[in-house]
Amino acid sequence: MSIPLTYSLMRYLAAKRSVDDRALNWQVWQCLVAALPRTTTEQPLRILEVGAGIGSMVERLLAGDVLTHATYTAIDKAPTLLAEARRHLPQWADQRGFQVDENRQGQLRVWRAGQHITIETEAIDVARFMAREHGRRTWDLLIGQAFLDLVDMPTTLPGLCSLVRPGGLLYFPTTFDGDTVFQPEGDAEFDRTIEACYHQTIDQRVLDGKPSGDSRAGRRLFAYLRTAGVDVLAAGSSDWVVFAGANGYPADEAYFLHDIIHTIYVALTGHPHLDAERLDAWVAQRHTQIEQGALVYMAHQLDVLGRVNRKP
Ligand SMILES: C[S@@+](CC[C@H](N)C(=O)[O-])C[C@H]1O[C@@H](n2cnc3c(N)ncnc32)[C@H](O)[C@@H]1O
């Protein structure tokens, strides 16, 4: 594909689906499936997903027959992404033999033989949600995919853990962990400078006056979970590896790569340690390599599954 004229988080998240499907750590996934309690219509599994985006994870759980009886609360600060989740899910579910309707509370009900899932969405910042729900509601499973590297973990993680019942589960797939690799190598030293400066922008990101990023969130999660009273049940890498085969990049992954390069460009424009002309040339070369099917991109990430060990 040629270089996009515009970029959107919605298209990026849709393009990310096939990359994630390859990357997710299936040993951690199987531990999650094995650790889920038996559920019934009367006692459904209560799931909370934070930073749910366009609903890729609920679709993945439905497709894998992981959920039988469940209520699924999906929150995200971006209303347009949740609106897309609600638009996409019914047609996706219909194609897979699910029935779908919307009840009077505005929840989506998705069912087929042996499976009955009720999905509610709410556009809200996670900090506000945690403050509102603390002491009111708890969940059996909390999911945050590609999320913890975007928030201040020391303040956010304890709040998230407090929303999970004692013995409940936390699942944090594709948590970024500090390695970004592009091939072919250009000027190896300049590639390393780009990577270091980019990770620095993640670490120094401030949103609404709060620190909001950690380029080594994956590895740091272990200590934060221990402090929060969570035992790690399983962990493993879920690196993104994106490359073109004989037929080019799969699905919309060329767009995914253009978006990543554009994100780096936006983050590094005006960086005091980077020569602007060299950055422009680097970005232009990487976009050209995508058009040629020559760019290989890797990002190191971790999937972590934990269980809250505090007493009820
Ligand atoms: C990288 S995207 C991942 C989306 C989805 N989990 C996935 O993997 O496809 C991160 C998501 O977190 C949301 N997000 C970021 N900060 C948030 C916050 N403070 N509160 C709620 N949602 C937030 C963004 O809007 C975005 O949809």
Side-chain angles (χ1 to χ4, degrees), residues 9 12-14 16-17 20 49-57 60 75-79 81-82 122-129 143-152 156 173-174 207-208 210 212 240:
L9 179 55
Y12 167 80
L13 292 179
K16 185 170 92 67
R17 281 193 183 112
D20 284 340
E49 185 180 358
V50 293
I54 58 170
S56 304
M57 184 50 86
R60 193 174 283 115
I75 71 156
D76 198 287
K77 69 177 182 184
L81 298 181
L82 291 176
E122 184 176 358
I124 185 168
D125 187 274
V126 72
R128 275 193 54 216
F129 184 83
I143 300 173
Q145 175 169 19
F147 180 73
L148 289 178
D149 50 292
L150 300 174
V151 294
D152 183 42
T156 307
T174 59
L207 291 176
D208 302 329
K210 291 178 292 187
S212 300
W240 282 339

Side-chain angles (χ1 to χ4, degrees), residues 49-259:
E49 185 180 358
V50 293
I54 58 170
S56 304
M57 184 50 86
V58 66
E59 290 180 0
R60 193 174 283 115
L61 289 165
L62 283 165
D65 287 345
V66 176
L67 305 180
T68 49
H69 303 91
T71 62
Y72 201 103
T73 306
I75 71 156
D76 198 287
K77 69 177 182 184
T80 50
L81 298 181
L82 291 176
E84 171 60 12
R86 295 184 70 102
R87 189 199 64 78
H88 188 261
L89 185 70
Q91 68 189 49
W92 177 93
D94 183 56
Q95 286 161 5
R96 284 154 185 85
F98 288 96
Q99 313 262 15
V100 185
D101 70 8
E102 190 173 322
N103 67 17
R104 277 199 232 124
Q105 292 84 43
Q107 298 164 327
L108 292 174
R109 296 189 304 184
V110 182
W111 74 95
R112 67 182 176 190
Q115 285 182 284
H116 199 295
I117 292 89
T118 305
I119 301 163
E120 61 177 5
T121 57
E122 184 176 358
I124 185 168
D125 187 274
V126 72
R128 275 193 54 216
F129 184 83
M130 291 189 303
R132 189 188 73 198
E133 296 297 338
H134 183 76
R136 272 181 67 193
R137 280 200 284 176
T138 57
W139 282 265
D140 303 304
L141 167 63
L142 182 140
I143 300 173
Q145 175 169 19
F147 180 73
L148 289 178
D149 50 292
L150 300 174
V151 294
D152 183 42
M153 276 215 292
T155 52
T156 307
L157 203 58
L160 292 179
C161 293
S162 76
L163 297 181
V164 178
R165 68 163 169 83
L169 301 165
L170 297 119
Y171 177 49
F172 295 116
T174 59
T175 304
F176 185 53
D177 192 47
D179 276 324
T180 306
V181 176
F182 294 105
Q183 290 286 312
E185 260 170 17
D187 172 340
E189 198 183 320
F190 193 64
D191 283 352
R192 275 196 297 278
T193 306
I194 295 261
E195 184 191 13
C197 292
Y198 177 55
H199 293 172
Q200 187 190 43
T201 66
I202 297 176
D203 295 330
Q204 295 177 349
R205 193 167 43 213
V206 175
L207 291 176
D208 302 329
K210 291 178 292 187
S212 300
D214 188 342
S215 67
R216 291 184 163 79
R219 73 194 66 176
R220 292 187 175 136
L221 187 48
F222 291 89
Y224 288 129
L225 286 174
R226 184 173 301 129
T227 307
V230 175
D231 298 327
V232 173
L233 300 183
S237 57
S238 51
D239 296 359
W240 282 339
V241 184
V242 184
F243 61 97
N247 298 319
Y249 296 101
D252 202 18
E253 294 183 21
Y255 174 82
F256 176 81
L257 292 175
H258 281 301
D259 197 307

